[in-house]
């Protein structure tokens, strides 16, 4: 999956290592912020808002697996068990 993000970014902006690193960092920072928002959500609306933002972020970077997982999370009631797979995907993406 980390290679998928790198490939998608390279297709979008070319092969500049500096630009790729900056985009990767921006994506991971934004995604981790939404993960934190999910963890702190104290009602259904804030849960869905964070999940939808993560879904849109994943979609804009072409990360379909994360996009579908975030979409499913948005449709569900808040549950810490739903956060673990998202965290695992983001941790995998950050391993590069």
């Amino acid at each position: 999956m980390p290679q998928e993000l790198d490939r998608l970014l390279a297709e979008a902006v070319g092969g500049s290592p500096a630009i790729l690193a900056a985009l990767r960092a921006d994506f991971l920072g934004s995604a981790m912020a939404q993960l934190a928002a999910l963890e702190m959500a104290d009602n259904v609306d804030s849960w869905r808002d964070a999940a939808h933002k993560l879904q849109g972020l994943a979609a804009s970077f072409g990360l379909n697996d994360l996009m579908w997982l975030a979409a499913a999370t948005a449709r569900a009631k808040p549950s810490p068990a739903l956060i673990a797979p998202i965290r695992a995907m983001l941790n995998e993406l950050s391993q590069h």
Side-chain angles (χ1 to χ4, degrees):
M1 196 167 181
Q3 296 82 8
E4 179 183 4
L5 178 58
D6 291 342
R7 181 185 59 74
L8 293 166
L9 290 173
E11 286 176 6
V13 299
S16 169
I19 293 173
L20 291 174
L23 284 173
R24 175 181 261 286
D26 287 346
F27 166 77
L28 289 170
S30 295
M32 294 305 275
Q34 295 314 313
L35 176 64
L38 280 171
E39 292 172 329
M40 295 185 312
D42 58 358
N43 60 59
V44 172
D45 289 336
S46 58
W47 172 266
R48 288 189 178 143
D49 183 54
H52 282 134
K53 286 178 181 176
L54 182 59
Q55 178 185 1
L57 182 63
S60 68
F61 280 84
L63 297 169
N64 293 330
D65 291 343
L66 182 57
M67 180 187 70
W68 291 116
L69 182 58
T73 300
R75 291 188 303 270
K77 292 181 181 178
S79 170
L82 295 174
I83 295 172
I86 293 171
R87 177 180 283 107
M89 280 190 181
L90 293 177
N91 285 339
E92 185 179 345
L93 286 169
S94 69
Q95 302 301 313
H96 182 73

